[in-house]
Amino acid sequence: MKTLPESFRPFDARMLDVGDGHWLYVEEVGLRGGRPILFLHGGPGSGSQVLHRTLFDPARDHVFLIDQRGAGRSHPYLSCEANTTAHLIEDLEVIRTHFGIAKWMIVGGSWGSTLALAYAQKYPNRVTALVLRALFLGTDEEVRWAFVDGPRIFRPELFEAFCSRLPTEERADPLAAYVKRLTGSLGPDRTAAAHAWNAYERALSELAPKNAAIPSEVADDARLPPTPIIEAHYIKHSFFIAPGELLSNAARLRDIPGAIIQGRYDLLCPPKNAHALASVWPAARLEIIDHAGHSMTEPGVMDAMRRSITNLGNSASERHS
């Protein structure tokens, strides 16, 4: 993307010790002392990106962008030790306390929406508002739909290519086979699986992907894609969330206003998840973006997120004035 204006560049960045041997990268963007907002990246494992900064108003918002455990610039890189949803929730409290923030808005998409919900349900009095994109509730059913059932129906040629990168005897349960390889010891099989998974997920993220090819061979010096490694760890453990937990605990969000931005044709996180949450969270407004898939860069998605961030930020200011 083009070089960002100075106003979108971090005015501070640091590594915070959150315990268990983990250090998290935290950057601050926008107006120091402005309305506090925490951005949570997806994956798990993808890390925060430069593009994420552009969701916010640098003249008004004090934005904290972090790389979660094992992701991005945090250390140790790709570590799955002491890396669970409960750990990540408490990391956010460490960050909030470190910066002296009483309450903040939380913005997150896909896995970021899951973590935002889990945090808000444990610490509702710390959250002014939630802006969630591509809602994911952390269930095994959703994972199977995203990587097996959905692609088999809507992208059968892509699903077939994904399965073909496995030995014939492992193709009956490709999800289990990939997770086993991705959570195993580092080696050629793990690297090849990570590249195949990364290409597969990227293609499923867009309504009309420009490149849906899954590599059949990987160069010896190819960089290991980070997201599949951390993601597989979380999938293996059902995201460390009890079945139905986030919907069952939705009543804890009753005093938190929210917005759910959802692509109509999101294959990875379909609209039924967003609809299910909105039906038990009256303070949230669900906005379906037609002609959009999963990715934040799909047409209309980022604009809808920016509007919601602005509107909910204004509402929070009015409530506390």
Side-chain angles (χ1 to χ4, degrees), residues 181-240:
R181 286 165 180 260
L182 291 169
T183 56
S185 58
L186 185 62
D189 286 349
R190 190 187 194 196
T191 300
H195 280 274
W197 182 284
N198 194 56
Y200 184 58
E201 187 170 18
R202 185 178 62 249
L204 292 171
S205 295
E206 300 175 347
L207 188 57
K210 294 179 180 178
N211 179 14
I214 296 178
S216 56
E217 296 182 357
V218 178
D220 293 338
D221 60 349
R223 178 179 180 271
L224 185 69
T227 302
I229 304 302
I230 304 295
E231 200 167 66
H233 164 68
Y234 272 77
I235 289 173
K236 181 178 180 179
H237 296 282
S238 299
F239 290 86
F240 304 94

Side-chain angles (χ1 to χ4, degrees), residues 17-23 69 75-76 82:
D17 181 359
V18 293
D20 309 305
H22 284 274
W23 290 75
R69 294 192 181 202
H75 297 298

Side-chain angles (χ1 to χ4, degrees), residues 36 93 96-97 99-104 119 123-128:
E93 275 296 276
R96 185 190 62 78
T97 302
F99 287 99
I101 303 299
K103 302 179 72 170
W104 48 9
Y119 173 84
Y123 296 107
N125 61 328
R126 303 301 187 192
V127 181
T128 59

Side-chain angles (χ1 to χ4, degrees), residues 43-319:
S46 66
S48 58
Q49 310 294 326
V50 172
L51 184 65
H52 298 151
R53 303 174 192 163
T54 66
L55 290 168
F56 307 99
D57 180 354
R60 187 178 184 183
D61 301 332
H62 185 170
V63 187
F64 300 85
L65 299 101
I66 71 171
D67 290 342
Q68 297 158 29
R69 294 192 181 202
R73 291 146 289 191
S74 293
H75 297 298
Y77 183 56
L78 294 185
S79 173
C80 293
E81 294 295 324
N83 194 338
T84 70
T85 302
H87 284 105
L88 301 189
I89 289 172
E90 296 311 314
D91 288 349
L92 303 186
E93 275 296 276
V94 170
I95 294 168
R96 185 190 62 78
T97 302
H98 176 83
F99 287 99
I101 303 299
K103 302 179 72 170
W104 48 9
M105 177 190 292
I106 303 182
V107 179
S110 194
W111 161 252
S113 73
T114 319
L115 182 56
L117 279 175
Y119 173 84
Q121 289 179 359
K122 183 166 186 182
Y123 296 107
N125 61 328
R126 303 301 187 192
V127 181
T128 59
L130 292 169
V131 176
L132 311 177
R133 174 192 62 81
L135 192 76
F136 175 61
L137 296 171
T139 65
D140 293 344
E141 177 188 11
E142 290 169 278
V143 172
R144 181 164 182 84
W145 166 265
F147 295 103
V148 178
D149 297 339
R152 181 182 275 151
I153 295 170
F154 292 102
R155 297 274 177 84
E157 74 293 341
L158 184 65
F159 177 71
E160 185 176 88
F162 182 61
C163 293
S164 73
R165 302 302 184 262
L166 295 168
T168 303
E169 62 273 16
E170 295 183 34
R171 295 176 188 175
D173 190 350
L175 181 59
Y178 270 99
V179 168
K180 182 178 180 180
R181 286 165 180 260
L182 291 169
T183 56
S185 58
L186 185 62
D189 286 349
R190 190 187 194 196
T191 300
H195 280 274
W197 182 284
N198 194 56
Y200 184 58
E201 187 170 18
R202 185 178 62 249
L204 292 171
S205 295
E206 300 175 347
L207 188 57
K210 294 179 180 178
N211 179 14
I214 296 178
S216 56
E217 296 182 357
V218 178
D220 293 338
D221 60 349
R223 178 179 180 271
L224 185 69
T227 302
I229 304 302
I230 304 295
E231 200 167 66
H233 164 68
Y234 272 77
I235 289 173
K236 181 178 180 179
H237 296 282
S238 299
F239 290 86
F240 304 94
I241 296 172
E245 177 181 337
L246 296 181
L247 285 181
S248 298
N249 292 337
R252 299 178 185 176
L253 308 173
R254 60 183 176 273
D255 297 324
I256 302 174
I260 307 170
I261 313 302
Q262 179 67 48
R264 172 74 71 189
Y265 301 107
D266 185 339
L267 287 183
L268 293 174
C269 300
K272 74 170 188 175
N273 306 325
H275 185 268
L277 180 63
S279 67
V280 292
W281 180 20
R285 180 182 62 84
L286 172 60
E287 181 176 356
I288 300 291
I289 309 299
D290 287 320
H291 312 298
H294 178 78
S295 175
M296 191 180 83
T297 57
E298 291 285 273
V301 174
M302 290 184 69
D303 286 342
M305 292 180 72
R306 290 187 185 107
R307 285 194 304 271
S308 293
I309 291 167
T310 297
N311 293 338
L312 287 173
N314 291 339
S315 297
S317 297
E318 292 171 1
R319 290 196 308 273

